[in-house]
Amino acid sequence: MSLPTSLPSWRKLEEHHAQIRSLHLRDLFREDPERAERFSVSLEDIVFDYSKNRITNQTLDLLLQLAREAELPRWIEKMFAGEKINVSERRAVLHIALRKPRGSSVFVDGKDVMPEVHAVLDRMREFSESVRTGRWHGYTGRPIQDVVNIGIGGSDLGPMMVTRALRPYHSSLRLHFVSNIDGTHLVETLRGLDPETTLFLVSSKSFGTLETLTNARSARAWFLDKAKDPAAVAKHFVAISTNEKAVVAFGIDKKNMFPFWDWVGGRYSLWSAIGLSIVLAIGMDRFEELLAGAHAADEHFRTAPLEKNIPVLMGLLGIWYNNFFQASTHAVFPYDQYLEFLPAYLQQADMESNGKHVQKDGTPVAVTTGPILWGAPGTNGQHAFFQLLHQGTKLVPADFLVPAQSHNPLGPSDEHHRMLLANCLAQTEALLRGRTAEEVRAEMEAAGLAAEDIARLTPHRVCEGNRPSNTFLFRKLTPRTLGSLIALYEHKIFVQGTIWNIDSFDQWGVELGKQLAQNLLPEISGEPARKPHDSSTERLLRLVRGWL
Ligand code: F6P
């Protein structure tokens, strides 16, 4: 594919942007009473309302033209067919295979991968049931009470986010996640745990990640400090990886290893054995509901027409703001405490995927690529940074996600949740309509303020509005709904990467920092530098050594 800027629709979108950028959402809603209905799509219990975006019918037509000119439908087919669309690593991209039902086939290099996928799921069922029912004993015969997942990036954020999100479905097993190389993370997590009743899941696609292997070694030392007998490790350490050799070299029996495959990207791996912590928390039946929800979103993405296709619309709207309004960030606000870690999870999914500076063929990109993704749960964000959203000078397109029903009805008539809902809807309404000078003056007059104060305060109180947002309203945060929501975001990332013509499935940028850390490590302990550093790094090293 050629540069996106050379596509006819790109130029047309630039012209169109110049024509409509001053249109106000207030007017667009006033002129079209059907707007909310027309600019909404449902998938099962999820409604995606994208009507509060700065778009007209023509905008949408042009964005859809862009998707067609970028051959998005062909790329979707390529992904689902197992073609090696991760070009720099020459790998297929098949997280969609992990959630396909039994009996389906997906071929990689002429081999159907589905029997293996389901064989691993079967093992996950058997293992998780034995741990959850207490049939699996620790080295002293006591059942497991605490599970510690040791992993980082995709081997941590996905399972951690989902495990926290599905807390209402947990059994009595306690789940913990250790990722940071900072010893504090491991020490504080293990404080109060008993080695006799603790199970460690060492999760690493490569089984070569410094943080994970170091934490796993220290966890083993903590365990052996009490257990003494190395044979006891087999009852308490399980590995999840694509790298059997490294697992065995680490000292974990391959009988205790759950495999996955190089066609599963780390940040897309929660659906694989990397999700074992989720399964231990909620049970295999619920995990299968999560997979089924993701599969429903996959089918929607593969088969729905582009104009009714939620990930396609999400991706195109993001491009509209990123590339034509020059918005450099995108915010995600889950109005659900259980989704506290969704923004952190999406940061890796989106920014590691689409933070790229070259196209698939290695030539420089012609346009800005992935946005800075950020967010926090509502209503907390409202009392922290929403001021900038309402009156700052930067445009921040945002997604609001909210369940109609709470898992924790609290107060008379579930008043907590009703307030949460009211706040979520109120924020998107406020962003859309803002508050005009006339409205501000009328309010202050009604409140009896002096004319001088009204004149002084009016400019401070005006909100321009016209700030775009999407709303995902869903019935309740169930495993199935969560699976669908995550998969919709995964596919949105794919849509954008396809249009920007980048490889969304590699992550070469993180290599350099890892290498430099390896070089610096001996120098922290006083060894001479093998290569000179810049003067800032030199000086900081000297100071560190002095204070160690
Ligand atoms: O450093 C980035 C990264 O490679 C991520 O892509 C990945 O999710 C994470 O590190 C952990 O990698 P692994 O699962 O191989 O330990």
Coordinates of all heavy atoms in Angstrom, one line a residue, residues 152-155 203-207 209 212 266-267 348 352 507 510 514, ligand 1:
I152 N 5.5 -9.3 33.2 CA 5.5 -7.9 33.0 C 5.0 -7.6 31.6 O 5.0 -8.5 30.7 CB 7.0 -7.3 33.2 CG1 6.9 -5.8 33.4 CG2 7.9 -7.6 32.1 CD1 8.2 -5.2 34.0
G153 N 4.5 -6.3 31.3 CA 4.0 -6.0 30.0 C 2.8 -6.8 29.7 O 1.9 -7.0 30.6
G154 N 2.7 -7.4 28.6 CA 1.6 -8.2 28.2 C 1.4 -9.5 29.1 O 0.3 -10.0 29.1
S155 N 2.4 -9.9 29.8 CA 2.3 -11.1 30.6 C 1.9 -10.7 32.0 O 1.9 -11.5 32.9 CB 3.7 -11.8 30.7 OG 4.1 -12.2 29.4
S203 N 5.1 -16.0 34.1 CA 4.5 -15.8 32.8 C 5.5 -14.9 32.0 O 5.7 -13.8 32.3 CB 3.2 -15.0 33.0 OG 2.3 -15.8 33.8
S204 N 5.9 -15.5 30.9 CA 6.8 -14.7 30.0 C 6.8 -15.4 28.6 O 7.2 -16.6 28.5 CB 8.2 -14.7 30.6 OG 9.1 -14.1 29.6
K205 N 6.4 -14.7 27.6 CA 6.4 -15.2 26.3 C 7.8 -15.7 25.9 O 8.0 -16.8 25.4 CB 5.9 -14.2 25.3 CG 5.9 -14.7 23.9 CD 5.3 -13.7 22.9 CE 5.5 -14.1 21.5 NZ 5.0 -13.2 20.5
S206 N 8.8 -14.8 26.1 CA 10.2 -15.2 25.7 C 10.9 -16.0 26.8 O 11.9 -16.7 26.5 CB 10.9 -13.9 25.5 OG 10.9 -13.1 26.7
F207 N 10.5 -15.9 28.0 CA 11.2 -16.4 29.2 C 12.7 -15.9 29.2 O 13.6 -16.6 29.6 CB 11.2 -18.0 29.2 CG 10.8 -18.5 30.6 CD1 9.5 -18.4 31.0 CD2 11.7 -18.9 31.5 CE1 9.1 -18.8 32.3 CE2 11.4 -19.3 32.8 CZ 10.1 -19.3 33.2
T209 N 12.9 -12.3 29.9 CA 12.7 -10.9 30.3 C 13.4 -10.8 31.7 O 13.0 -11.5 32.7 CB 11.2 -10.6 30.4 OG1 10.7 -10.7 29.0 CG2 11.0 -9.1 30.8
T212 N 11.2 -10.4 34.9 CA 10.4 -11.6 35.3 C 11.3 -12.7 35.8 O 11.0 -13.3 36.9 CB 9.6 -12.1 34.1 OG1 8.8 -11.0 33.7 CG2 8.8 -13.3 34.4
G266 N 2.6 -10.5 22.7 CA 2.6 -10.4 24.2 C 1.4 -9.6 24.7 O 0.7 -10.0 25.6
R267 N 1.2 -8.4 24.0 CA 0.1 -7.6 24.5 C -1.3 -8.0 24.0 O -2.3 -7.4 24.3 CB 0.3 -6.1 24.1 CG 0.6 -5.9 22.6 CD 1.2 -4.6 22.3 NE 1.6 -4.4 20.9 CZ 2.8 -4.8 20.4 NH1 3.7 -5.3 21.2 NH2 3.1 -4.6 19.1
Q348 N -0.5 -0.1 26.9 CA 0.5 -1.0 26.2 C -0.1 -1.5 24.9 O 0.6 -1.4 23.9 CB 0.8 -2.2 27.1 CG 1.9 -3.1 26.4 CD 2.0 -4.5 26.9 OE1 1.1 -5.0 27.5 NE2 3.1 -5.2 26.5
E352 N 2.3 0.5 22.4 CA 3.3 -0.4 21.9 C 3.0 -0.9 20.5 O 3.9 -1.2 19.7 CB 3.5 -1.6 22.8 CG 4.8 -2.4 22.7 CD 5.0 -3.4 23.9 OE1 4.4 -4.4 23.8 OE2 5.9 -3.1 24.8
Q507 N 7.8 -4.5 18.3 CA 8.1 -3.5 19.4 C 9.6 -3.3 19.5 O 10.1 -3.4 20.6 CB 7.4 -3.9 20.7 CG 7.8 -5.3 21.3 CD 7.1 -6.4 20.6 OE1 6.0 -6.3 20.3 NE2 7.9 -7.5 20.4
V510 N 11.5 -0.9 22.2 CA 11.8 -1.1 23.6 C 13.2 -1.8 23.8 O 13.7 -2.0 25.0 CB 10.7 -1.9 24.3 CG1 9.4 -1.1 24.4 CG2 10.4 -3.2 23.7
K514 N 16.6 -1.7 27.0 CA 16.9 -3.0 27.7 C 18.4 -3.3 27.6 O 19.1 -3.6 28.5 CB 16.2 -4.2 27.0 CG 14.7 -4.2 27.3 CD 14.2 -5.5 26.7 CE 12.7 -5.5 26.6 NZ 12.1 -6.7 26.0
Ligands
F6P1 O1 9.6 -5.0 26.5 C1 8.4 -5.1 25.9 C2 7.9 -6.5 25.9 O2 8.6 -7.3 25.0 C3 6.4 -6.6 25.7 O3 6.1 -6.6 24.3 C4 6.0 -7.8 26.4 O4 4.6 -7.9 26.6 C5 6.8 -7.7 27.6 O5 8.0 -7.1 27.2 C6 7.1 -9.0 28.4 O6 7.7 -10.0 27.5 P1 7.7 -11.5 27.9 O7 6.3 -12.0 28.0 O8 8.5 -12.2 26.8 O9 8.4 -11.6 29.3

